[in-house]
Amino acid sequence: MAYDVVLKKVMKQFGAGNQVFTAVDHIDLQIEQGEFFALLGPSGCGKTTTLRMIAGFEQPTSGEILIRDTAVQGVPPFHRPVNTVFQDYALFPHMTILQNVMFGLQMEGLSKSDCRNRALKALDLVQLPKVENRRPNQLSGGQQQRVALARALVKRPAVLLLDEPLGALDLKLRKQMQFELKSMQQQVGITFIYVTHDQEEAMTMADRIAVMDGGQVLQVGSPREIYEQPATRFVADFIGETNFLHGTLTMSDNGVGSVTLSNGDTIYAMLPDKPLVSDKVVLPIRSERIGIVPAGVTAINSEKAQDTQLVGIVVDSNFIGTDTRYVVNLATDEQVVVRIQNSEYIKRYDLAVGDAVSIFWNSNNTYLLDD
Ligand code: ADP
Ligand code: MG
């Protein structure tokens, strides 16, 4: 496996004396060549600091960074085979679009006509033809971000670093740009390391995601792995809408655990790969993985095996367009959110607040975590 970027126990502290703050806490990452890799986590978790260390704007306090198998300790940003795209574009306002894109190439000493041809090609790639003579303030935010992208791509870096590049755009444009960025990345085959706090954005674009919190990497995996088998409670909570049921693990057999809930009910779930530290467990379940029927009705949705079933009362119900969202109060007094798609192909019931219901899900899809 060829790695473009490797981080080994990288740590970054700011400040001195008793004001020392650890922004990045011994992280290990291996980013493959040609991969679209996302760093995902809440604000302040250390994403930008990690990216700035790869770019060379910050030096790690300890640990090692390799780019294309070469340690880059002490190598200044402009001598690294990487380029960065920032959220605020950072275009030169007094230059034309073409001059902005050509600028980096001219610094490399290429001939003017080579620079011009490559810059025009890059503007084509980001789908911005015929704007080369305008100035940045004559373009929309989305167009300016494309120019910033063209300017970074034109230098043909091995790795492109993107720090919340779509953060300033409105939702509709952001969705469109997500799609375009992904196809552009596939077209040019350059490794992208993409920082975002938006889980949906990371899921949409990335081949693999590293979920960060408090300066640490909690899990690395494909969007599917992270969604379906979150390694920690934080990951389960941060991505998607997740319910947590608390209980005590009373038996384990062949990878399946029996969990007793606070009211004495028993449910079953898969044991995680990493051994649990105690019998106090929590079961994360995605709201869309749960089925719901009126009490006494047999669940007829054959898609969802009903090997775990609990009774409850509907305490809230909201129609939200694509789905209907129910909040169900269980006998344990825990509340569970259930989302049912408003599709004519799915059997649905008219359920109102106060109705007694059964909720059910397939235990094979659920993995226990330490509480
Ligand atoms: P993110 O990009 O995930 O929002 P950052 O990497 O920007 O997070 O910041 C991580 C933490 O490090 C934050 O608490 C931030 O305040 C702190 N930090 C970042 N840069 C500096 C700096 N130059 N000096 C002191 N603290 C910093
Ligand atoms: Mg940031």
CSV table of all heavy atoms in Angstrom, one decimal, residues 14-15 21-24 41-50 58 163-164 195, ligand 1:
chain,number,residue,atom,x,y,z
A,14,PHE,N,0.3,24.1,22.4
A,14,PHE,CA,0.5,25.6,22.4
A,14,PHE,C,0.7,26.1,23.8
A,14,PHE,O,0.3,25.5,24.8
A,14,PHE,CB,-0.8,26.2,21.8
A,14,PHE,CG,-1.0,25.9,20.3
A,14,PHE,CD1,-2.0,25.1,20.0
A,14,PHE,CD2,-0.2,26.5,19.4
A,14,PHE,CE1,-2.3,24.8,18.6
A,14,PHE,CE2,-0.4,26.2,18.0
A,14,PHE,CZ,-1.4,25.4,17.6
A,15,GLY,N,1.4,27.3,23.9
A,15,GLY,CA,1.6,27.9,25.2
A,15,GLY,C,2.8,27.3,25.9
A,15,GLY,O,3.6,26.5,25.3
A,21,PHE,N,-1.3,23.8,26.4
A,21,PHE,CA,-2.6,23.2,26.0
A,21,PHE,C,-2.2,22.3,24.8
A,21,PHE,O,-1.6,22.6,23.9
A,21,PHE,CB,-3.5,24.3,25.5
A,21,PHE,CG,-4.8,23.8,24.9
A,21,PHE,CD1,-5.8,23.3,25.7
A,21,PHE,CD2,-4.9,23.8,23.5
A,21,PHE,CE1,-7.0,22.8,25.1
A,21,PHE,CE2,-6.1,23.3,22.9
A,21,PHE,CZ,-7.1,22.8,23.7
A,22,THR,N,-2.7,21.0,24.9
A,22,THR,CA,-2.5,20.0,23.9
A,22,THR,C,-3.6,20.1,22.9
A,22,THR,O,-4.7,19.6,23.2
A,22,THR,CB,-2.3,18.6,24.5
A,22,THR,OG1,-1.3,18.7,25.5
A,22,THR,CG2,-2.0,17.6,23.5
A,23,ALA,N,-3.3,20.6,21.7
A,23,ALA,CA,-4.3,20.7,20.6
A,23,ALA,C,-4.5,19.4,19.8
A,23,ALA,O,-5.6,19.1,19.4
A,23,ALA,CB,-4.0,21.9,19.7
A,24,VAL,N,-3.3,18.8,19.6
A,24,VAL,CA,-3.3,17.5,18.9
A,24,VAL,C,-2.6,16.5,19.8
A,24,VAL,O,-1.4,16.7,20.1
A,24,VAL,CB,-2.7,17.6,17.5
A,24,VAL,CG1,-2.5,16.3,16.8
A,24,VAL,CG2,-3.5,18.6,16.6
A,41,GLY,N,-14.8,16.4,12.9
A,41,GLY,CA,-14.9,16.5,14.4
A,41,GLY,C,-15.5,17.9,14.7
A,41,GLY,O,-15.5,18.8,13.8
A,42,PRO,N,-15.9,18.1,16.0
A,42,PRO,CA,-16.5,19.4,16.3
A,42,PRO,C,-15.4,20.5,16.4
A,42,PRO,O,-14.2,20.2,16.4
A,42,PRO,CB,-17.0,19.1,17.8
A,42,PRO,CG,-16.2,18.0,18.3
A,42,PRO,CD,-15.8,17.2,17.1
A,43,SER,N,-15.9,21.7,16.4
A,43,SER,CA,-15.0,22.9,16.4
A,43,SER,C,-14.0,22.8,17.6
A,43,SER,O,-14.4,22.4,18.7
A,43,SER,CB,-15.9,24.1,16.6
A,43,SER,OG,-15.0,25.3,16.7
A,44,GLY,N,-12.8,23.0,17.4
A,44,GLY,CA,-11.8,23.0,18.4
A,44,GLY,C,-11.1,21.7,18.7
A,44,GLY,O,-10.3,21.5,19.6
A,45,CYS,N,-11.4,20.6,17.9
A,45,CYS,CA,-10.9,19.3,18.2
A,45,CYS,C,-9.5,19.1,17.6
A,45,CYS,O,-8.9,18.0,17.9
A,45,CYS,CB,-11.9,18.2,17.7
A,45,CYS,SG,-11.9,18.1,15.9
A,46,GLY,N,-9.0,20.1,16.9
A,46,GLY,CA,-7.6,19.9,16.4
A,46,GLY,C,-7.5,19.6,14.9
A,46,GLY,O,-6.4,19.3,14.5
A,47,LYS,N,-8.5,19.8,14.1
A,47,LYS,CA,-8.5,19.5,12.7
A,47,LYS,C,-7.5,20.4,12.0
A,47,LYS,O,-6.7,20.0,11.2
A,47,LYS,CB,-9.9,19.6,12.1
A,47,LYS,CG,-11.0,18.8,12.8
A,47,LYS,CD,-12.3,18.9,12.1
A,47,LYS,CE,-12.9,20.3,12.2
A,47,LYS,NZ,-13.3,20.8,13.5
A,48,THR,N,-7.8,21.7,12.2
A,48,THR,CA,-7.0,22.7,11.4
A,48,THR,C,-5.5,22.6,11.8
A,48,THR,O,-4.6,22.7,11.0
A,48,THR,CB,-7.5,24.1,11.7
A,48,THR,OG1,-8.8,24.2,11.1
A,48,THR,CG2,-6.6,25.2,11.1
A,49,THR,N,-5.2,22.4,13.1
A,49,THR,CA,-3.8,22.3,13.6
A,49,THR,C,-3.2,21.1,12.9
A,49,THR,O,-2.0,21.2,12.5
A,49,THR,CB,-3.8,22.1,15.1
A,49,THR,OG1,-4.5,23.3,15.7
A,49,THR,CG2,-2.4,22.1,15.6
A,50,THR,N,-3.9,20.0,12.8
A,50,THR,CA,-3.4,18.8,12.1
A,50,THR,C,-3.0,19.1,10.7
A,50,THR,O,-1.9,18.8,10.2
A,50,THR,CB,-4.4,17.6,12.2
A,50,THR,OG1,-4.7,17.4,13.5
A,50,THR,CG2,-3.8,16.4,11.5
A,58,GLU,N,2.8,24.8,10.8
A,58,GLU,CA,3.1,24.6,12.3
A,58,GLU,C,4.0,23.4,12.3
A,58,GLU,O,4.0,22.5,11.5
A,58,GLU,CB,1.8,24.2,13.0
A,58,GLU,CG,0.7,25.2,13.0
A,58,GLU,CD,0.9,26.3,14.1
A,58,GLU,OE1,1.9,26.3,14.8
A,58,GLU,OE2,0.0,27.1,14.1
A,163,ASP,N,-9.4,23.1,4.1
A,163,ASP,CA,-9.9,23.4,5.4
A,163,ASP,C,-11.3,24.0,5.3
A,163,ASP,O,-11.4,25.2,5.1
A,163,ASP,CB,-8.9,24.3,6.2
A,163,ASP,CG,-9.2,24.3,7.7
A,163,ASP,OD1,-10.2,23.7,8.1
A,163,ASP,OD2,-8.4,24.9,8.4
A,164,GLU,N,-12.3,23.2,5.5
A,164,GLU,CA,-13.7,23.7,5.5
A,164,GLU,C,-13.9,24.6,4.3
A,164,GLU,O,-14.4,25.7,4.4
A,164,GLU,CB,-14.0,24.4,6.8
A,164,GLU,CG,-13.6,23.7,8.1
A,164,GLU,CD,-14.7,23.3,9.0
A,164,GLU,OE1,-15.9,23.5,8.7
A,164,GLU,OE2,-14.4,22.9,10.1
A,195,VAL,N,-10.9,18.8,5.7
A,195,VAL,CA,-11.3,19.1,7.1
A,195,VAL,C,-12.8,19.6,7.1
A,195,VAL,O,-13.1,20.5,6.4
A,195,VAL,CB,-10.4,20.1,7.8
A,195,VAL,CG1,-11.0,20.8,9.0
A,195,VAL,CG2,-9.1,19.5,8.2
B,1,ADP,P1,-10.6,22.8,14.7
B,1,ADP,O1,-9.9,23.2,13.4
B,1,ADP,O2,-10.9,21.4,14.9
B,1,ADP,O3,-11.7,23.7,15.1
B,1,ADP,P2,-8.1,23.9,15.8
B,1,ADP,O4,-7.0,22.9,15.3
B,1,ADP,O5,-8.2,25.2,15.1
B,1,ADP,O6,-9.5,23.1,15.9
B,1,ADP,O7,-7.8,24.2,17.3
B,1,ADP,C1,-7.6,23.2,18.3
B,1,ADP,C2,-7.4,23.8,19.6
B,1,ADP,O8,-6.1,24.4,19.7
B,1,ADP,C3,-8.4,24.9,20.0
B,1,ADP,O9,-8.7,24.8,21.4
B,1,ADP,C4,-7.7,26.2,19.7
B,1,ADP,O10,-8.1,27.2,20.5
B,1,ADP,C5,-6.2,25.8,20.0
B,1,ADP,N1,-5.3,26.6,19.2
B,1,ADP,C6,-5.2,26.5,17.8
B,1,ADP,N2,-4.2,27.3,17.4
B,1,ADP,C7,-3.6,27.9,18.5
B,1,ADP,C8,-2.6,28.8,18.7
B,1,ADP,N3,-1.9,29.3,17.6
B,1,ADP,N4,-2.3,29.2,19.9
B,1,ADP,C9,-3.0,28.7,21.0
B,1,ADP,N5,-4.0,27.8,20.9
B,1,ADP,C10,-4.3,27.4,19.6
